[in-house]
Amino acid sequence: MQKPKGTYDVYGDLGKQIQYIEKVIGAMMEKYHYEYVRTPIFESKELFHRGVGDSSDIVTKETYDFQDRAGREMTLRPEGTAGVVRSFIENKLYGRATLPVKTWYYGPMFRYERPQAGRYREFYQFGVEVFGSNDPLIDAEIISIPVNIYRFLGLKGIKVKINSLGDEESRTAYKKALKEYFKPYVNELCEDCKVRFEKNPLRMLDCKVDHEKEIMKNAPTILSYLNKESEEHFKHLQDYLKAMEIPFEVDETIVRGLDYYTHTVFEVEADIKEFGSQKVLCGGGRYNQLVETLGGPSTCGVGFAMGMERLLSALEKENITFKEESLDCYLFALSENEKEYVAYLSNLLRMNGFSVTMDYNQKSFKANFKQVERLNPKFVLIIGEEEVKDKKITIKNNHTKKEEKIKEEHLIEYLDEEIEM
Ligand code: HAM
């Protein structure tokens, strides 16, 4: 049996690396004062069609759709935003006194894409969504989150790119200009772009087939179509980013692959040699109409999501690893007769905050010390007949090699002191 195409298993060092990053993300979100949310992995198909948009590749070509046993049309989530917005509306979080509502999530997403380095069919995203503020200060805060996480992890090769898609009025003017510009060339474009020309000409700029063509390169760009308000929003965002000492560049080619964006859009790219084509580490932006589109009261939103797999490759390329030295105690009994006491002690130690593993197979003394060599615990606790009778435990400090007999009632205190030394 083999894993499905485009998926992967986690074990060994990869597991350690992921768990460390997850801890950093959780701690960072506490510092930013964001609340954790979780939504279902499958939702109604309609949510993604209305939410992510009917002109995006993600919805038209890449979703895992299925019917449940009662014939309902369901979809495995291809991204997190639509589900979080649905939950925000359904649970009436817009009624809270403390707006904006700042949320974060983490979990698997599914897209039926052609698998390649950095592109999977099941992948993990960490994302945030903030509701109820149109202040560009929030946009800047959102951009600072991935930047600070990458910085904290020690990643050097990153590049922040921002753009603005403006408000409805600006985008309508821009779409009109795009249509006029592309009209004479429609027949030269790919089949998808012909549809995009009708449905949403902005999507044409994101085309993977036509993007190298001269007509694409010379297309009008959005910033000259921004109205006053949109221009102001974009200017303030840049001022805040400068104040936060976050280097960025304005890149007018960034339009993003989902339909819901307004005003700010951004991506953080890996700027690492030989990283490969899937170098967008994270992306996001503002979506001031999405809550309303999905049936909620008019509420602004902004967010981003980062792919865990691309972050892991970036860390690997920069040789950054996190190895947590975590095993405090290894316990073994000299015979079957002492195993109950070992069971008792392991529980006592774990409940007092020590990490513990032990000999489960009644190995020989020599085999146990071979295991100690491999696991490298801080302490080895050896339990024989005498230890059980006197409730005095033989403890070997595996690093200093010091060996002592300690009474059970002083055990925790002793280990705490030894660890501090
Ligand atoms: P997205 O750009 O589609 O945005 O995905 C965000 C990130 O997820 C990408 O930058 C990439 O790191 C990762 N990613 C996407 N597809 C794959 C894949 N097939 N394999 C591996 N990694 C992948 C969104 O999903 C939006 N929901 C972001 C957002 C949140 N915008 C506002 N709020």
Side-chain angles (χ1 to χ4, degrees):
M1 297 278 245
Q2 289 188 332
K3 59 186 179 301
K5 202 172 161 187
T7 66
Y8 64 99
D9 297 318
V10 174
Y11 52 87
D13 284 348
L14 178 59
K16 284 190 197 148
Q17 195 86 338
I18 290 174
Q19 282 195 304
Y20 179 80
I21 298 169
E22 288 172 355
K23 270 192 210 158
V24 169
I25 289 172
M28 196 66 92
M29 286 297 84
E30 250 175 57
K31 302 276 180 296
Y32 273 89
H33 203 249
Y34 279 52
E35 74 180 70
Y36 175 72
V37 294
R38 202 176 70 191
T39 60
I41 283 174
F42 62 93
E43 298 260 6
S44 73
K45 184 174 169 184
E46 194 204 344
L47 172 68
F48 299 109
H49 281 266
R50 269 169 62 190
V52 178
D54 270 338
S55 75
S56 74
D57 277 4
I58 296 171
V59 163
T60 51
K61 298 185 190 157
E62 297 169 2
T63 51
Y64 279 88
D65 301 321
F66 63 99
Q67 268 190 358
D68 72 7
R69 286 172 193 271
R72 298 181 194 95
E73 298 290 339
M74 295 291 174
T75 294
L76 292 184
R77 62 182 183 196
E79 57 103 54
T81 311
V84 174
V85 172
R86 194 250 334 118
S87 160
F88 173 81
I89 299 167
E90 193 171 336
N91 297 301
K92 300 190 173 57
L93 301 191
Y94 49 79
R96 280 191 184 168
T98 51
L99 289 178
V101 175
K102 309 201 291 178
T103 68
W104 72 278
Y105 55 91
Y106 175 79
M109 309 291 159
F110 306 85
R111 293 184 194 175
Y112 194 82
E113 292 193 272
R114 192 171 55 77
Q116 62 181 94
R119 197 196 270 168
Y120 295 85
R121 288 184 174 172
E122 182 193 44
F123 58 97
Y124 274 69
Q125 275 187 350
F126 151 58
V128 314
E129 312 297 345
V130 174
F131 301 98
S133 167
N134 195 34
D135 194 324
L137 180 56
I138 287 278
D139 306 30
E141 175 169 300
I142 295 278
I143 296 173
S144 78
I145 293 172
V147 170
N148 282 336
I149 287 177
Y150 297 145
R151 279 180 182 165
F152 186 87
L153 294 173
L155 198 64
K156 295 207 170 54
I158 58 163
K159 198 184 263 178
V160 180
K161 293 180 164 183
I162 62 169
N163 191 19
S164 172
L165 301 182
D167 59 8
E168 184 89 45
E169 186 186 74
S170 312
R171 254 188 345 277
T172 306
Y174 179 53
K175 280 183 188 169
K176 194 165 160 250
L178 278 179
K179 273 199 139 178
E180 271 162 29
Y181 170 80
F182 279 119
K183 209 170 175 181
Y185 309 113
V186 176
N187 288 335
E188 296 169 38
L189 298 172
C190 74
E191 287 310 307
D192 283 339
C193 276
K194 285 178 189 142
V195 178
R196 290 170 185 141
F197 177 80
E198 295 302 333
K199 269 193 177 171
N200 182 1
L202 255 171
R203 265 290 72 70
M204 298 167 76
L205 304 171
D206 208 25
C207 178
K208 288 166 192 137
V209 182
D210 288 328
H211 72 282
E212 287 298 334
K213 290 192 177 148
E214 279 304 299
I215 356 164
M216 285 294 178
K217 289 182 183 161
N218 299 328
T221 49
I222 177 84
L223 294 183
S224 31
Y225 293 85
L226 294 187
N227 60 14
K228 187 107 192 79
E229 204 190 315
S230 304
E231 226 174 57
E232 285 278 295
H233 190 105
F234 196 43
K235 183 190 168 296
H236 285 310
L237 163 67
Q238 296 179 55
D239 293 342
Y240 290 131
L241 287 175
K242 283 177 199 154
M244 292 168 107
E245 297 177 338
I246 295 176
F248 63 89
E249 51 189 75
V250 175
D251 181 343
E252 290 196 72
T253 65
I254 291 181
V255 288
R256 312 269 306 128
L258 307 103
D259 285 351
Y260 45 63
Y261 293 109
T262 56
H263 292 288
T264 310
V265 283
F266 80 98
E267 288 179 350
V268 180
E269 266 184 26
D271 191 13
I272 303 171
K273 250 192 180 165
E274 290 163 21
F275 189 74
S277 58
Q278 302 304 309
K279 58 182 177 186
V280 182
L281 297 177
C282 73
R286 189 164 268 288
Y287 45 86
N288 285 353
Q289 264 107 45
L290 185 58
V291 177
E292 225 174 329
T293 307
L294 291 176
S298 170
T299 309
C300 300
V302 54
F304 85 93
M306 76 162 64
M308 283 294 277
E309 295 73 15
R310 293 182 197 177
L311 169 57
L312 287 161
S313 332
L315 292 168
E316 195 187 323
K317 282 264 173 339
E318 291 198 353
N319 291 319
I320 300 170
T321 52
F322 313 104
K323 285 219 175 76
E324 275 184 275
E325 204 44 79
S326 60
L327 184 57
D328 295 320
C329 305
Y330 180 83
L331 275 61
F332 71 90
L334 293 179
S335 81
E336 279 291 332
N337 300 337
E338 292 90 36
K339 273 179 102 170
E340 274 178 31
Y341 192 54
V342 165
Y344 161 76
L345 280 180
S346 65
N347 214 29
L348 177 80
L349 289 166
R350 284 173 179 150
M351 290 306 102
N352 278 282
F354 296 96
S355 59
V356 175
T357 193
M358 54 193 144
D359 172 22
Y360 301 96
N361 300 334
Q362 200 52 54
K363 290 191 273 287
S364 69
F365 195 84
K366 204 171 144 201
N368 265 310
F369 269 95
K370 274 253 168 297
Q371 186 76 330
V372 166
E373 259 174 50
R374 283 187 288 258
L375 295 174
N376 194 25
K378 294 191 186 96
F379 305 100
V380 185
L381 282 70
I382 306 162
I383 317 298
E385 206 181 315
E386 225 177 281
E387 277 80 6
V388 179
K389 189 159 62 73
D390 303 342
K391 300 232 175 308
K392 252 186 166 180
I393 297 130
T394 305
I395 303 180
K396 183 168 178 179
N397 184 320
N398 190 39
H399 297 156
T400 61
K401 306 296 174 204
K402 181 172 80 174
E403 199 173 299
E404 285 188 79
K405 274 192 185 283
I406 303 295
K407 272 192 100 58
E408 185 196 304
E409 64 209 70
H410 302 306
L411 177 65
I412 303 298
E413 197 185 335
Y414 173 81
L415 292 176
D416 274 337
E417 278 171 16
E418 282 287 301
I419 280 183
E420 280 199 358
M421 269 166 44

